[in-house]
Amino acid sequence: MTKNKVLIFGATGMAGHIVYYYLQNTGRYEVVNAVYRTKLTDDSIVVDVTDKDAVANLVRETRSDLIINCIGVLIKGSKDHPDKCYFYQCLFSTFVEETCR
């Protein structure tokens, strides 16, 4: 049985690390985790998601069957930087979808 490959953006966040470990522990998926600064695992891929070229390259290189966006901004961060919050919460998923076409 071939394992589906899953790419998780935001793997060190509150939801992201739970999703990563859950999928990894099922043994049914090849899980690739993308993080912002701090690696979750030795094979974490550090990527700045505001760098569209880096994201597009990662999406193309991993050739994932499924991409899960767990990137989030906490309340304080959204109040301090609403422009970044808008990008992460609204535009990023659309960009990734367009990259996959």
Side-chain angles (χ1 to χ4, degrees):
M1 181 174 111
T2 304
K3 292 182 179 181
N4 284 331
K5 185 182 282 189
V6 178
L7 170 60
I8 302 172
F9 283 100
T12 54
M14 287 188 291
H17 79 281
I18 299 296
V19 171
Y20 172 83
Y21 286 117
Y22 174 79
L23 294 176
Q24 189 72 11
N25 288 333
T26 68
R28 296 175 41 200
Y29 304 95
E30 179 183 345
V31 185
V32 178
N33 71 90
V35 299
Y36 175 56
R37 295 183 287 250
T38 307
K39 289 187 168 197
L40 179 66
T41 63
D42 289 339
D43 60 344
S44 294
I45 300 168
V46 177
V47 64
D48 177 358
V49 297
T50 62
D51 181 344
K52 290 185 176 185
D53 290 333
V55 171
N57 288 336
L58 180 60
V59 167
R60 284 189 210 102
E61 288 171 8
T62 60
R63 300 176 54 109
S64 299
D65 300 297
L66 179 67
I67 298 173
I68 301 174
N69 178 17
C70 291
I71 295 173
V73 180
L74 298 176
I75 294 170
K76 180 173 178 1
S78 65
K79 288 181 178 180
D80 292 347
H81 304 284
D83 54 330
K84 289 181 182 179
C85 181
Y86 179 73
F87 174 78
Y88 296 137
Q89 303 303 123
C90 301
L91 302 179
F92 180 71
S93 293
T94 302
F95 170 70
V96 170
E97 178 192 7
E98 291 170 354
T99 300
C100 293
R101 290 185 192 164

